[in-house]
């Protein structure tokens, strides 16, 4: 089976976020594989181990993203592709990313493409379904279980807490929800092997794309931090008085009851 | 320049979700005086059209088909594109719900357009409108503009206030017949796990429990409080991991993002993972035995104490107010 996993290098949002000149300060920050993409990589590896074939991980970014691709290879992916846009693009949006990935995938005859259902930095969750649409294949988002039998696919997806069982077929793109699996940590032998696995680097030129073809449709004009919340009030006194005071405050001051 | 805007309404168990009315309010800003056309897809949605008009839509178009009983991206995609071709709107507004998140990127891709997802506020109107959306799990915000062409946004539930319902408004509710074919996904089963009634992501009040709840039974007082306030129960990842409740209740970076008017965190320490899902709530109450717990840093009001003592007392106090 020909399996692809879409990976994004993201800022670890457990980090403190600072803004300078309208941009998030990235110096010294920790970068990780988007956690939802880890579920996608893990599932890709498990599907390959059960059904045979090859897992290729793809990302768009600059050379720094090689680190996250090597981590995916160390988990067990077979090959990696870095589409390096550093020299070509200053700005990209979801349209841009999907167009580039779809252009790469269009002649690859992918049976199964997996992605995270959302990236924890941008948080729009658009790229997976956009790629599927551009490739004219079906997609199912926020999946928590995947069973493949020949070309038949049975999926359970999370719909705001409810679960839907879906029957469909390959080729297919799915996006991973938490609960799909437990992503493995790369083993030491895995890390050693990953160094020798193929990592292909491409630029827009190699995909016959011009900057104009992928020009962003939207533009971010400002990034800012939410206003600092004033420190809250921790109530004092006898517990039952505290509760009375709290309910009174919620009723009269906050007016939320 | 004014824009003609289509708004996709969303029904759940025979009634329109609140986010549909919020999307109409967002559409009003986007439209800058232009016409607002509500859309409803399903197997029996004709009767809901009037409600959209009372909340600000100028007219409503429905597409009814047995294949639209359950949402699928193919079925709703075909219905949407048929109406789009007929109406040729200049802007589209969806709710950023499970349905909206699934369908909007497909439509944007079909129409070769941008899409600003998960909008929580709109500044300005019409062509000058700027869309505000949370990034980095709500730790920062960005202002986004559409460069040119079709404008497409999805709005996060509970953030943009709906317009006041006006029973005197009237408008045309018409139906378009669309042949829905070739569905590639077939839904064979739907299991409703969410607690009855109030939808967590749309709830005005959320009572959430963490590891401090100690057991599945420990959620009972939280449920009682939530019911009393017409709210929903949520949980931290810790409580879900410990099997005290279903993952469908999880609030956080993984899980749901909620922005209720009132968020009551009981026995939740306030890990960053959890804060990402609730820190933008309007009023936050923290109840925790540990005075050093992180949750007190984001709380508007805090009580250091045992939730099993505090919550029953709160229930009694609130009942007193409600009966007065």
């Amino acid at each position: 089976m020909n399996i692809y996993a879409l990976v994004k290098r993201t800022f670890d949002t457990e980090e403190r976020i600072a803004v300078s000149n309208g941009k998030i300060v990235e110096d010294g920050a920790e970068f990780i594989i988007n956690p939802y993409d880890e579920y996608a990589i893990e599932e890709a590896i498990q599907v390959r181990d059960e059904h045979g074939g090859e897992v290729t991980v793809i990302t768009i970014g600059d050379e720094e993203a090689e680190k996250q691709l090597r981590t995916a290879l160390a988990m067990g992916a077979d090959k990696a592709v870095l589409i390096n846009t550093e020299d070509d693009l200053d700005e990209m949006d979801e349209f841009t990313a999907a167009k580039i990935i779809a252009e790469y995938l269009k002649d690859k005859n992918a049976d199964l493409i997996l992605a995270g259902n959302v990236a924890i930095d941008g948080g729009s969750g658009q790229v997976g379904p956009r790629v599927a649409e551009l490739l004219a294949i079906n997609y199912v988002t926020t999946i928590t279980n995947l069973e493949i039998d020949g070309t038949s696919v049975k999926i359970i997806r999370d719909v705001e807490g409810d679960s839907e069982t879906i029957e469909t077929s390959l080729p297919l793109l799915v996006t991973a929800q938490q609960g799909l699996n437990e992503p493995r940590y790369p083993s030491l032998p895995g890390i050693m092997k990953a160094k020798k696995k193929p990592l292909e680097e491409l630029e827009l030129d190699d995909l016959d794309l011009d900057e104009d073809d992928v020009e962003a449709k939207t533009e971010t004009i400002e990034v800012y931090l939410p206003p600092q919340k004033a420190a809250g009030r921790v109530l004092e006194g006898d517990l039952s008085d505290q509760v009375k005071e709290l309910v009174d405050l919620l009723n009269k001051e906050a007016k939320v009851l | 320049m004014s824009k003609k805007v289509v708004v996709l309404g969303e029904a759940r168990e025979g009634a329109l979700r609140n986010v549909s009315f919020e999307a109409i309010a967002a559409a009003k800003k986007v439209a800058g005086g232009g016409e607002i056309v509500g859309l409803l897809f399903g197997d029996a949605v004709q009767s809901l059209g009037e409600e959209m008009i009372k909340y600000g839509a100028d007219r409503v178009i429905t597409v009814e088909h047995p294949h639209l009983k359950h949402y699928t991206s193919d079925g709703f995609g075909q219905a949407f594109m048929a109406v789009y071709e007929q109406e040729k709107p200049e802007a589209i507004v969806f709710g950023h719900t499970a349905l909206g998140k699934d369908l909007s990127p497909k439509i944007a891709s079909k129409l070769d357009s941008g899409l600003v997802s998960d909008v929580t506020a709109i500044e300005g109107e019409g062509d000058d409108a700027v869309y505000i959306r949370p990034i980095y799990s709500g730790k920062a915000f960005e202002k986004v503009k559409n460069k040119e062409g079709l404008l497409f946004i999805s709005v996060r539930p509970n953030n943009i206030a709906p317009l006041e319902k006006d029973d005197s408004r009237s408008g045309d509710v018409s139906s378009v017949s669309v042949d829905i074919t070739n569905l590639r996904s077939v839904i064979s089963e739907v299991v409703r796990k969410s607690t009855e009634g109030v939808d967590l992501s749309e709830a005005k009040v959320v009572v959430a429990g963490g590891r401090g709840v100690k057991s599945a039974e420990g959620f009972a007082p939280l449920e009682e409080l939530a019911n009393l306030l017409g709210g929903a129960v949520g949980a931290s990842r810790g409580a879900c991991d410990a099997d005290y409740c279903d993952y469908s209740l999880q609030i956080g970076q993984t899980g749901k993002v909620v922005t209720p008017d009132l968020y009551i965190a009981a026995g939740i320490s306030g890990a960053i993972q959890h804060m990402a899902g609730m820190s933008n709530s309007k009023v936050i109450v923290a109840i925790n035995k540990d005075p050093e717990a992180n949750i007190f840093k984001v709380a508007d009001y805090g009580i250091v104490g045992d939730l099993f003592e505090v919550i029953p007392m709160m229930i009694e106090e609130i009942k007193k107010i409600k009966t007065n």
Side-chain angles (χ1 to χ4, degrees):
Chain A
M1 199 176 312
N2 200 3
I3 307 161
Y4 289 85
L6 312 183
V7 175
K8 188 177 188 185
R9 171 181 186 261
T10 57
F11 198 98
D12 187 348
T13 48
E14 302 215 349
E15 297 255 339
R16 225 180 76 83
I17 305 263
V19 171
S20 166
N21 294 326
K23 285 215 154 91
I24 301 281
V25 179
E26 297 192 343
D27 296 346
E30 193 67 36
F31 281 84
I32 55 172
I33 295 176
N34 172 41
Y36 290 100
D37 299 350
E38 288 186 342
Y39 298 116
I41 298 165
E42 175 63 36
E43 198 66 17
I45 293 167
Q46 289 185 17
V47 169
R48 178 205 58 198
D49 289 349
E50 197 185 332
H51 300 275
E54 200 170 59
V55 174
T56 307
V57 287
I58 309 173
T59 199
I60 301 176
D62 57 23
E63 273 175 10
E64 300 284 332
E66 201 180 312
K67 190 172 165 228
Q68 281 68 38
L69 288 178
R70 290 285 174 206
T71 304
L73 292 171
M75 286 171 75
D78 301 289
K79 297 194 301 188
V81 177
L82 168 61
I83 303 170
N84 193 331
T85 54
E86 195 179 10
D87 297 336
D88 295 327
L89 300 176
D90 294 327
E91 296 282 335
M92 65 160 84
D93 66 359
E94 300 86 350
F95 166 83
T96 311
K99 188 108 179 173
I100 292 171
I101 293 169
E103 197 61 28
Y104 172 79
L105 285 170
K106 70 175 185 194
D107 55 1
K108 299 292 187 290
N109 290 316
D111 296 301
L112 180 65
I113 304 168
L114 301 103
N117 85 75
V118 70
I120 58 171
D121 53 359
S124 76
Q126 292 183 28
V127 173
R130 275 182 181 266
V131 167
E133 182 60 31
L134 290 170
L135 296 173
I137 63 171
N138 192 22
Y139 66 90
V140 181
T141 56
T142 58
I143 74 163
T144 55
N145 194 53
L146 176 68
E147 281 172 45
I148 299 171
D149 182 5
T151 59
S152 302
V153 184
K154 194 172 169 186
I155 288 173
I156 299 177
R157 72 181 286 251
D158 167 57
V159 185
E160 298 179 8
D162 295 338
S163 72
E164 254 177 29
T165 305
I166 287 184
E167 285 166 39
T168 182
S169 58
L170 301 177
L172 181 70
L173 183 145
V174 294
T175 72
Q177 173 67 305
Q178 185 197 17
L180 178 61
N181 52 45
E182 278 294 326
R184 70 194 69 190
Y185 289 102
S187 65
L188 196 57
I191 294 168
M192 299 308 289
K193 267 196 232 162
K195 290 181 181 161
K196 297 202 183 89
K197 287 182 179 173
L199 192 153
E200 185 184 11
E201 196 175 320
L202 301 171
E203 293 193 10
L204 291 190
D205 243 8
D206 302 310
L207 299 172
D208 284 328
L209 284 172
D210 283 336
E211 291 137 60
D212 295 350
D213 298 332
V214 297
E215 194 192 331
K217 302 279 185 187
T218 57
E219 113 189 87
T220 297
I221 53 175
E222 195 185 337
V223 172
Y224 62 98
L225 298 177
Q228 277 282 338
K229 247 186 136 163
R233 281 172 61 185
V234 175
L235 307 179
E236 285 172 1
D238 189 59
L239 199 58
S240 63
D241 292 337
Q242 284 189 41
V243 172
K244 279 200 183 88
E245 189 184 351
L246 173 68
V247 171
D248 197 53
L249 285 166
L250 292 178
N251 193 28
K252 291 182 181 142
E253 188 178 271
K255 297 188 168 64
V256 286
L257 290 188
Chain B
M1 200 186 76
S2 66
K3 284 183 165 58
K4 178 177 180 178
V5 189
V6 295
V7 180
L8 181 62
E10 214 180 299
R12 195 182 170 96
E13 302 189 351
L16 283 173
R17 296 179 65 171
N18 234 354
V19 66
S20 306
F21 309 133
E22 295 164 3
I24 294 171
K28 272 269 192 254
K29 288 200 156 193
V30 172
E35 188 186 28
I36 294 172
V37 183
L39 309 181
L40 287 168
F41 307 151
D43 63 339
V45 289
Q46 192 71 15
S47 60
L48 302 173
E50 242 173 71
E51 191 85 348
M52 285 187 92
I53 288 168
K54 287 176 181 164
Y55 276 95
D58 295 306
R59 61 190 167 90
V60 171
I61 297 172
T62 64
V63 179
E64 291 186 325
H65 194 286
H67 286 167
L68 298 175
K69 182 173 198 289
H70 289 296
Y71 164 78
T72 58
S73 59
D74 280 341
F76 273 52
Q78 288 167 28
F80 185 89
M81 290 309 293
V83 178
Y84 178 86
E85 291 304 331
Q86 177 188 308
E87 294 293 324
K88 297 279 184 211
E90 286 137 324
I92 305 170
V93 181
F94 280 14
H96 196 65
T97 57
L99 189 160
K101 287 181 210 176
D102 193 78
L103 183 62
S104 59
K106 177 190 177 88
I107 302 289
S109 190
K110 262 191 194 300
L111 298 173
D112 218 21
S113 86
L115 167 60
V116 187
S117 301
D118 203 15
V119 170
T120 54
I122 301 173
E123 279 181 0
E125 286 206 356
D127 282 335
D128 300 323
V130 171
Y131 303 93
I132 296 174
R133 59 187 301 276
I135 50 174
Y136 298 90
S137 308
K139 287 178 145 187
F141 288 85
E142 65 175 354
K143 291 186 180 179
V144 181
K145 269 196 91 121
N146 193 46
K147 281 191 182 169
E148 54 173 28
L150 180 72
L151 171 81
F152 194 171
I153 64 169
S154 67
V155 297
R156 179 183 287 199
N158 245 350
N159 281 268
I160 294 166
L163 305 172
E164 195 123 354
K165 186 176 182 181
D166 180 353
D167 284 318
S168 68
R169 283 179 61 86
S170 64
D172 184 42
V173 180
S174 59
S175 69
V176 171
S177 117
V178 181
D179 195 17
I180 307 292
T181 55
N182 288 327
L183 301 185
R184 291 173 292 185
S185 289
V186 176
I187 297 167
S188 54
E189 195 187 0
V190 181
V191 180
R192 297 230 179 268
K193 288 199 251 176
S194 33
T195 41
E196 82 283 356
V198 186
D199 181 341
L200 186 52
S201 53
E202 288 196 348
K204 296 287 177 204
V205 176
V206 173
V207 184
R211 281 195 181 273
V213 175
K214 290 189 192 138
S215 66
E217 296 72 43
F219 269 94
L222 277 64
E223 272 156 26
E224 191 182 343
L225 180 58
N227 286 340
L228 182 62
L229 296 171
V233 170
S236 71
R237 181 173 186 166
C240 298
D241 283 345
D243 248 346
Y244 302 163
C245 61
D246 194 84
Y247 278 105
S248 62
L249 300 187
Q250 186 184 326
I251 292 165
Q253 182 158 294
T254 41
K256 291 201 174 71
V257 176
V258 297
T259 40
D261 292 341
L262 173 60
Y263 189 91
I264 300 172
I268 290 178
S269 61
I272 290 166
Q273 132 80 28
H274 183 72
M275 307 272 218
M278 48 64 77
S279 61
N280 295 327
S281 302
K282 280 152 212 119
V283 176
I284 297 171
V285 172
I287 303 161
N288 204 296
K289 279 201 268 194
D290 174 9
E292 302 299 319
N294 246 328
I295 192 79
F296 288 115
K297 290 187 190 150
V298 298
D300 299 278
Y301 309 109
I303 289 186
V304 178
D306 183 351
L307 72 97
F308 293 108
E309 288 182 59
V310 175
I311 295 214
M313 286 190 217
M314 278 181 79
I315 292 170
E316 290 316 306
E317 284 302 315
I318 292 167
K319 277 184 183 160
K320 278 187 210 161
I321 293 181
K322 300 251 167 190
T323 48
N324 283 345

